[in-house]
């Protein structure tokens, strides 16, 4: 009885140890290669500044931002791009579907946004291979942001 109990405790501890080790590893060695390729936070901030300027000058989509707090959106975009690329930031904005559903965005709106982001990344010297890595992470959000 006693021996069985000890064996059980030992097994539980071993499992906890393994899980703990896996977790520690996940926390200490995240893949931040994209974040670093993009140039880290200073470049991401500049990209988002240029990206927003480009969208606000874009006749196709600027109207969608008419009632938005632009500084907030920029801050949330920086957090989101940083987190997605492995930079260790935490996105503190609202869920994508919730934010965008009332805007009734189309695929054409989405494509316009992607073009504006590409312009901003070009302007900041980000190579196309690196641009494509970020765009691939954003692609699944088309479903969450486009609603017509
Ligand atoms: C990959 C696609 C997209 C991503 C990752 C994205 C990301 C974001 C983020 C992080 C925010 C801020 C959320 C918050 O305030 O909590 C936001 C807000 C906003 N986005 Fe997007 N977005 C996408 C697509 C689009 C498209 C296609 C448009 C229009 C062409 C758009 C227009 C807006 C507007 C107008 C707001 C502000 C909403 C408000 O003021 O409540 N977004 N987006």
């Amino acid at each position: 009885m006693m021996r069985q109990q000890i064996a059980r405790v030992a097994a539980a501890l071993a499992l906890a140890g393994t899980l703990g080790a896996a977790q520690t590893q996940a926390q200490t060695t995240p893949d931040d290669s994209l974040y670093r390729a993009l140039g880290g936070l200073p470049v991401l901030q500049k990209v988002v500044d240029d990206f927003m300027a480009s969208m606000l000058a874009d006749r196709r989509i600027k109207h969608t931002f008419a009632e938005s707090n632009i500084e907030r959106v920029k801050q949330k975009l920086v957090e989101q791009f940083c987190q997605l690329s492995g930079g260790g930031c935490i996105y503190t904005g609202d869920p994508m579907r919730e934010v965008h559903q009332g805007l009734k965005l189309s695929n054409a709106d989405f494509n316009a946004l992607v073009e504006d982001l590409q312009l901003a990344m070009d302007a900041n010297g980000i190579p196309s291979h690196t641009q494509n890595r970020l765009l691939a992470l954003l692609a699944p959000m088309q479903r969450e942001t486009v609603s017509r």
Side-chain angles (χ1 to χ4, degrees):
M1 183 62 176
M2 185 64 175
R3 203 183 291 162
Q4 238 171 21
Q5 232 163 27
I6 290 171
R8 247 195 356 235
V9 170
L13 286 176
L15 182 63
T18 312
L19 292 175
Q23 213 164 45
T24 309
Q25 185 148 30
Q27 278 163 7
T28 53
T29 58
D31 179 6
D32 65 351
S33 66
L34 176 55
Y35 176 73
R36 285 184 288 105
L38 286 164
L41 215 41
V43 176
L44 279 181
Q45 271 158 350
K46 182 70 172 38
V47 165
V48 167
D49 265 350
D50 294 349
F51 175 34
M52 185 54 81
S54 194
M55 290 195 290
L56 293 177
D58 187 331
R59 291 207 187 127
R60 297 169 295 179
I61 57 174
K62 65 178 180 187
H63 63 278
T64 68
F65 292 96
E67 279 158 31
S68 303
N69 176 344
I70 300 299
E71 281 312 308
R72 176 195 160 98
V73 178
K74 285 203 292 187
Q75 190 206 324
K76 302 305 177 192
L77 281 169
V78 170
E79 284 176 6
Q80 191 183 40
F81 291 177
C82 170
Q83 178 170 24
L84 278 173
S85 63
C89 305
I90 308 251
Y91 174 65
T92 62
D94 298 321
M96 286 295 94
R97 206 177 285 280
E98 222 168 84
V99 171
H100 298 91
Q101 64 188 1
L103 298 171
K104 299 273 178 286
L105 302 173
S106 65
N107 285 319
D109 295 328
F110 184 87
N111 292 339
L113 171 138
V114 170
E115 271 177 41
D116 291 339
L117 178 54
Q118 284 172 317
L119 284 178
M121 292 195 286
D122 283 343
N124 287 278
I126 295 172
S128 61
H129 166 72
T130 304
Q131 295 192 17
N132 289 340
R133 288 176 68 194
L134 180 64
L135 294 173
L137 297 173
L138 297 178
M141 295 183 196
Q142 180 157 13
R143 280 182 43 236
E144 298 175 275
T145 55
V146 168
S147 55
R148 75 176 166 92

